[in-house]
Amino acid sequence: MKLSVLDQSPILHGSNPQQALQQTTELAKWTDKLGYHRFWVSEHHSTDSLAGSAPEILAAHLAAQTKQIRIGTGGVLLPHYSPYKVAETFRVLESLHPGRIDLGVGRAPGGMPNVNLALNGGKMPNVEDYPGEIEELMAYLHGQDPHGMDLYATPKGETTPPIWMLGSSGTSARLAADLGASYSFAHFINGRGGFRAMERYRDYFSPSMQQSEPGGNVSVFVVCAETDEHAEFLASSLDLALLKIEQGEKRYEFPTPEEAIQYPYSSFERERVEDNRNRMVVGSPQKAKEELIQLADLYQVDEMIINTIVSPFEERLKSYELLAEVFSMKELD
């Protein structure tokens, strides 16, 4: 089973946005050495806890800083942008790093409703156009002229970055299947019933100019430490962070485990924390490995994307290292 990384450039306790982006760079280099398959960065706007707002720029930086790991976006929020411009951006990236670039796309707003207005000249994007935008994007990436306007996306090249459609529902799965793109299910967003969405994707997949067979992976929150007890300690900070996000609280940084342990949870909040654990894998290396394999089997995929947000940053690095070791991915020099 392949392991990959989704990094949202979280602003951890005691750090700032600039340090968060530096940590993303260090994490990409680290997981490249550890043998992870791909490294995706996300797009979020007007938030005090995540620093990644321009994944295409961050991807270019990370591809230049790494050697083997695939670099991509998880993802570009396509309704905000011109498919033609996105195609050219990723054709440049592919030309600079052939065979190493992924184009993950989504249709979420990437923030509060006012983000939609700010990114679209004061207008709301029409999400009904999203399927057509994907078809345009795929055509441009493959050197075609979808509207007969005598133009194509440059620079041309022998390789093309694959489109991965991101989603957390059966609707997005069916759309990816109909359009013949690869599909990535966000288990870290929706921890219930995702395997049925992936099954729907496989059942309805139609071959496209990009690929002839379905391709899927699943992203999940993971906290791995030397012992189950220490993993639970570290994961408490993510428990509290997810709760506060649900409650609409804007934070400047993610909480520490010490802060989370001191937090006076109500009975309802404890129920929400327990429910959110469906989106997470927490434990020692062997326990984490067993649960990840179980999830992969449930979804019938051969790749899991790991999203680890714990404090301090060194514990994040260690979590990815422990997973690499238990999966016997690669030994460091």
Side-chain angles (χ1 to χ4, degrees):
M1 187 173 74
K2 296 188 289 288
L3 294 186
S4 297
V5 181
L6 171 64
D7 185 61
Q8 298 173 293
S9 301
I11 301 171
L12 303 179
H13 177 79
S15 67
N16 57 45
Q18 291 72 32
Q19 290 171 324
L21 293 175
Q22 291 169 359
Q23 289 169 356
T24 291
T25 303
E26 187 173 342
L27 182 59
K29 292 179 179 180
W30 183 238
T31 51
D32 187 22
K33 291 180 180 179
L34 290 171
Y36 280 77
H37 181 57
R38 66 179 99 240
F39 191 103
W40 286 355
V41 288
S42 61
E43 178 176 345
H44 294 89
H45 300 282
S46 189
T47 172
D48 293 331
S49 57
L50 303 172
S53 58
E56 66 280 14
I57 295 177
L58 189 51
H61 170 69
L62 298 178
Q65 295 287 319
T66 53
K67 297 179 180 180
Q68 300 181 46
I69 195 168
R70 294 187 65 88
I71 300 294
T73 52
V76 170
L77 304 180
L78 191 58
H80 297 318
Y81 312 114
S82 154
Y84 181 68
K85 179 57 179 175
V86 173
E88 292 210 314
T89 297
F90 279 80
R91 286 239 51 92
V92 169
L93 282 171
E94 182 70 17
S95 297
L96 291 170
H97 308 280
R100 289 185 56 210
I101 302 300
D102 295 325
L103 172 48
V105 297
R107 59 180 171 185
M112 300 300 288
N114 56 354
V115 167
N116 280 313
L117 299 175
L119 287 171
N120 293 278
K123 301 177 182 178
M124 294 293 287
N126 186 356
V127 295
E128 300 299 322
D129 295 337
Y130 183 60
E133 291 169 342
I134 296 290
E135 291 180 308
E136 264 190 72
L137 178 60
M138 190 178 293
Y140 283 130
L141 285 170
H142 286 264
Q144 297 186 2
D145 179 6
H147 300 297
M149 297 172 61
D150 193 25
L151 85 166
Y152 55 88
T154 57
K156 289 187 173 181
E158 296 181 357
T159 59
T160 300
I163 294 175
W164 283 82
M165 294 181 65
L166 316 181
S168 58
S169 70
T171 301
S172 59
R174 178 60 190 268
L175 181 57
D178 290 343
L179 297 177
S182 291
Y183 182 60
S184 182
F185 187 85
H187 186 90
F188 76 102
I189 294 176
N190 178 10
R192 296 186 181 278
F195 67 94
R196 284 189 284 269
M198 189 62 73
E199 183 178 45
R200 187 179 192 189
Y201 165 71
R202 287 191 299 270
D203 287 346
Y204 288 95
F205 181 83
S206 297
S208 67
M209 69 181 75
Q210 173 172 295
Q211 62 198 73
S212 59
E213 300 290 336
N217 60 35
V218 177
S219 52
V220 59
F221 283 125
V222 180
V223 178
C224 184
E226 294 282 5
T227 65
D228 290 341
E229 292 76 17
H230 191 50
E232 287 290 337
F233 170 74
L234 294 174
S236 64
S237 62
L238 184 55
D239 289 332
L240 180 58
L242 294 177
L243 178 66
K244 291 302 180 182
I245 290 170
E246 288 182 352
Q247 294 174 344
E249 180 176 317
K250 293 189 67 175
R251 296 183 57 98
Y252 179 71
E253 57 188 25
F254 279 84
T256 64
E258 291 80 5
E259 180 183 351
I261 289 173
Q262 304 267 335
Y263 183 82
Y265 290 95
S266 68
S267 58
F268 173 76
E269 288 175 328
R270 291 193 181 279
E271 289 178 5
R272 290 304 310 144
V273 166
E274 183 177 354
D275 187 65
N276 280 332
R277 281 300 182 98
N278 290 306
R279 301 152 62 183
M280 302 164 61
V281 168
V282 178
S284 64
Q286 191 58 43
K287 181 174 183 288
K289 179 180 180 179
E290 291 172 0
E291 292 189 14
L292 284 169
I293 290 174
Q294 288 172 3
L295 271 177
D297 289 344
L298 181 64
Y299 278 93
Q300 296 184 41
V301 297
D302 65 357
E303 179 185 2
M304 298 298 294
I305 300 185
I306 310 304
N307 184 359
T308 299
I309 303 178
V310 295
S311 182
F313 177 61
E314 290 72 21
E315 295 283 8
R316 293 184 71 207
L317 297 177
K318 186 65 175 178
S319 181
Y320 284 104
E321 181 181 1
L322 292 171
L323 288 174
E325 290 175 350
V326 75
F327 277 91
S328 303
M329 287 164 51
K330 184 177 179 180
E331 292 185 5
L332 290 174
D333 295 334

